[in-house]
Amino acid sequence: MNKPSLIEKSMDLLGWRRVVSALANHACSPITQEQCRQLKPEDSFEPAQSLLEETTEMVALLESLQSFPMDRFEDMRPVFRNAEEHEIIEPGQGLSLIKLLRLCRNLCRERDKKIEYPRLRVWLGKIDPLKEFLDTLSHCIDDEGNIRENATPELKQALNNADTAKHKLEERIQRLFRTERIREALQDSYITEREGRMVIPVRAEFKSRVDGIVHDSSGSGQTLFIEPTSIVPLNNQLKIAKLQVEQEKIIILQALARTIRELYEPLQRNMDTLVSLDHIFARARLAKSMSAVCCPMNRDSVMALKEARNPELVLDGETVIPNTIEWDASVKVVIISGPNTGGKTVTLKTLGLLSLMVKCGLYLPVKANSRIPFFPKVYSDIG
């Protein structure tokens, strides 16, 4: 494992992990949450400024009470790997794709309402709900992640054949139950399965009365589960019918995997775009939870943080005594002095942490009309 860099050590000392953990808690998707926890501040002004403007648009959107249907979605990379490497997907993975594309569809419906939010519109414009593929998926996979019985005519016919074979087998067994020789040998009048075949429970001392194959016994050994010879052909028919059902399901999942490979680029772009939108959404929600405001960055080294509160203490629900921190462009070095437990370390950590946060497009827990310089690097040595 690589040793953390001086910058990473500095971030840890300032309390960066607490901030990104709180940010992750406001994201909808597990993949976004993981990326939030690994978040690093931008080193250049323009990307940081772009992130801050995105946050500002999302905050304004949420405050306007307009809808923004961001919701949970899964990491699709395992689905893409299955489709590519194994040429098949799991039914549950199909459901995850359905949910992702439904989210894309819902966000696209909102797109035309976001004229006043140009940066969000750019992100929304990258989404393709892939309507035909969504319709195909929804026709094949239900909302519980199971393959629908009518997914294809072939599957429907195979299921009907299996039902018919099962019904015939159960009728034959019920007739066996009514014969006196078998009825006296039964431990109980029920049908069960062993090794994928229907069997009947026979008392061990009467096993000679039932000509058939012993598949299992009870824990006490008093009951044997026997497949009577007379039902072996019907059990075979049922087994073959069930295998045909499974084969048809495999064909469906393989066909979906082929389509996923064909649509890999738009699907990957959709997921990446949703992660980006989820990031912005999380930043806006974190701002609201901290009662934070937009604090513009400047390149002039002008510091004007009014009633700044330490983000760690705010996130922990502590009562915070705010500090106003100000200096003009001519100041290059600041020395803070005072008695022990006077708040020097908290003030320094507040300044450092706010400097990191704004470079990620995060709002700051300060009073409105504050300003902060853009610092390309932030180093700290505390303790």
Side-chain angles (χ1 to χ4, degrees):
M1 181 180 292
N2 294 330
K3 291 183 178 180
S5 66
L6 186 56
I7 286 287
E8 291 171 331
K9 288 181 179 178
S10 297
M11 291 165 61
D12 283 345
L13 286 170
L14 293 171
W16 184 243
R17 292 188 185 184
R18 181 69 181 89
V19 172
V20 293
S21 176
L23 179 64
N25 289 338
H26 287 287
C28 295
S29 170
I31 184 173
T32 315
Q33 291 167 358
E34 181 57 32
Q35 290 190 13
C36 285
R37 295 186 185 97
Q38 305 301 321
L39 186 63
K40 298 291 187 292
E42 296 289 344
D43 291 332
S44 302
F45 182 89
E46 288 78 10
Q49 181 65 26
S50 178
L51 293 174
L52 193 58
E53 290 173 4
E54 290 172 349
T55 306
T56 297
E57 289 190 4
M58 185 65 78
V59 168
L61 171 60
L62 298 181
E63 288 179 347
S64 72
L65 300 182
Q66 294 188 50
S67 61
F68 191 76
M70 180 53 67
D71 204 348
R72 180 187 173 96
F73 57 94
E74 301 298 329
D75 184 353
M76 291 294 110
R77 288 174 297 185
V79 185
F80 299 153
R81 280 197 299 270
N82 264 13
E84 181 64 32
E85 296 175 7
H86 305 295
E87 299 183 352
I88 195 169
I89 63 169
E90 299 294 331
Q93 293 178 327
L95 179 59
S96 294
L97 265 175
I98 289 173
K99 291 180 177 178
L100 182 137
L101 291 177
R102 283 176 179 169
L103 177 56
C104 290
R105 179 191 62 192
N106 294 340
L107 287 167
C108 284
R109 287 173 178 171
E110 300 296 317
R111 185 163 48 201
D112 295 338
K113 304 176 185 178
K114 309 296 183 295
I115 298 174
E116 66 272 37
Y117 304 114
R119 290 188 176 275
L120 295 183
R121 279 187 59 79
V122 169
W123 283 115
L124 291 169
K126 296 179 180 181
I127 294 174
D128 183 351
L130 300 172
K131 182 181 182 303
E132 289 186 9
F133 185 40
L134 175 56
D135 289 343
T136 299
L137 281 167
S138 300
H139 179 72
C140 293
I141 309 292
D142 65 22
D143 287 343
E144 281 71 49
N146 301 310
I147 298 177
R148 295 185 186 275
E149 293 184 358
N150 62 343
T152 62
E154 292 80 7
L155 176 60
K156 189 173 183 179
Q157 183 59 55
L159 285 166
N160 286 338
N161 293 342
D163 286 342
T164 299
K166 184 179 180 182
H167 183 67
K168 287 182 178 178
L169 179 54
E170 288 175 342
E171 281 189 338
R172 176 68 64 85
I173 294 174
Q174 291 298 334
R175 287 202 298 271
L176 281 176
F177 284 169
R178 289 193 290 270
T179 63
E180 184 175 351
R181 179 179 176 81
I182 297 296
R183 188 171 63 248
E184 291 179 351
L186 292 177
Q187 183 70 19
D188 205 341
S189 297
Y190 64 85
I191 306 170
T192 187
E193 281 192 20
R194 290 294 187 276
E195 300 174 354
R197 302 179 73 84
M198 288 194 180
V199 295
I200 61 176
V202 177
R203 286 187 286 178
E205 63 267 29
F206 289 108
K207 63 180 179 181
S208 60
R209 290 199 182 186
V210 181
D211 183 24
I213 304 166
V214 178
H215 286 275
D216 198 4
S217 65
S218 65
S220 64
Q222 295 181 357
T223 303
L224 300 177
F225 297 96
I226 298 177
E227 178 185 4
T229 303
S230 62
I231 68 168
V232 168
L234 291 175
N235 251 328
N236 289 341
Q237 290 179 20
L238 178 57
K239 184 73 172 181
I240 292 169
K242 286 182 176 179
L243 289 173
Q244 185 61 42
V245 168
E246 293 307 310
Q247 185 59 39
E248 293 301 331
K249 289 182 177 180
I250 288 172
I251 291 171
I252 291 167
L253 295 173
Q254 288 174 332
L256 293 177
R258 282 196 300 273
T259 307
I260 289 169
R261 294 198 298 274
E262 293 167 2
L263 297 174
Y264 170 75
E265 288 188 6
L267 285 170
Q268 180 67 57
R269 185 167 56 249
N270 279 343
M271 190 181 76
D272 292 342
T273 302
L274 289 178
V275 168
S276 296
L277 285 167
D278 197 13
H279 263 291
I280 302 169
F281 189 60
R283 299 201 298 267
R285 295 174 72 187
L286 179 64
K288 183 177 181 180
S289 72
M290 297 179 70
S291 299
V293 301
C294 180
C295 184
M297 293 178 292
N298 67 84
R299 292 167 164 167
D300 303 323
S301 299
V302 176
M303 179 69 71
L305 295 177
K306 302 177 181 179
E307 298 185 15
R309 294 169 291 140
N310 179 270
E312 270 193 297
L313 297 177
V314 171
L315 291 170
D316 290 339
E318 302 285 346
T319 300
V320 182
I321 298 175
N323 284 297
T324 294
I325 307 170
E326 296 180 318
W327 64 70
D328 60 32
S330 64
V331 174
K332 302 302 180 185
V333 177
V334 177
I335 298 175
I336 301 177
S337 63
N340 291 338
T341 70
K344 300 186 299 298
T345 301
V346 172
T347 300
L348 288 169
K349 289 181 69 174
T350 300
L351 182 56
L353 201 47
L354 296 180
S355 300
L356 295 173
M357 289 173 63
V358 75
K359 297 203 298 172
C360 291
L362 296 174
Y363 275 24
L364 306 184
V366 297
K367 194 173 181 180
N369 300 317
S370 293
R371 298 175 65 195
I372 189 170
F374 175 82
F375 297 106
K377 303 290 183 184
V378 178
Y379 295 94
S380 65
D381 184 10
I382 299 171

